[in-house]
């Protein structure tokens, strides 16, 4: 597919990891938490405090794996 080189590069640099079992799902919708996680990895902000998320109404909907990245 046309996007394969970009996906391979992003995965190689640790920006994306797919949907599990070393698989990608390029036709699926991307969640807001996944987008923020990718952005955080791009800017390499690892010092975020997840407590900042408590101010958001949908805080409980954020997956554990994405909390630190979204807080960034």
């Amino acid at each position: 597919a046309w996007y394969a080189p970009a996906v391979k590069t992003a995965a190689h640099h640790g920006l994306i990891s797919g949907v599990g079992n070393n698989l990608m799902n390029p036709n699926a919708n991307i969640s807001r938490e996944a987008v923020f996680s990718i952005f955080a990895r791009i800017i390499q902000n690892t010092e975020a405090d997840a407590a900042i998320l408590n101010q958001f109404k949908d805080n409980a909907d954020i997956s554990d794996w994405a909390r630190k990245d979204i807080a960034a």
Side-chain angles (χ1 to χ4, degrees):
W2 63 268
Y3 51 80
V7 170
K8 185 176 181 178
T9 299
H12 173 76
H13 290 287
L15 301 176
I16 59 174
S17 58
V19 296
N21 296 324
N22 207 23
L23 298 173
M24 298 289 176
N25 188 359
N27 295 318
N29 291 331
I30 188 167
S31 68
R32 178 174 51 169
E33 64 187 4
V35 170
F36 275 92
S37 293
I38 293 167
F39 286 161
R41 292 175 195 147
I42 290 169
I43 63 172
Q44 298 179 0
N45 184 346
T46 59
E47 300 301 318
D49 181 3
I52 196 169
L53 300 175
N54 294 333
Q55 66 183 312
F56 298 107
K57 183 171 65 172
D58 61 350
N59 174 35
D61 296 331
I62 301 170
S63 299
D64 289 339
W65 64 266
R67 296 187 72 73
K68 188 173 182 181
D69 291 333
I70 293 173

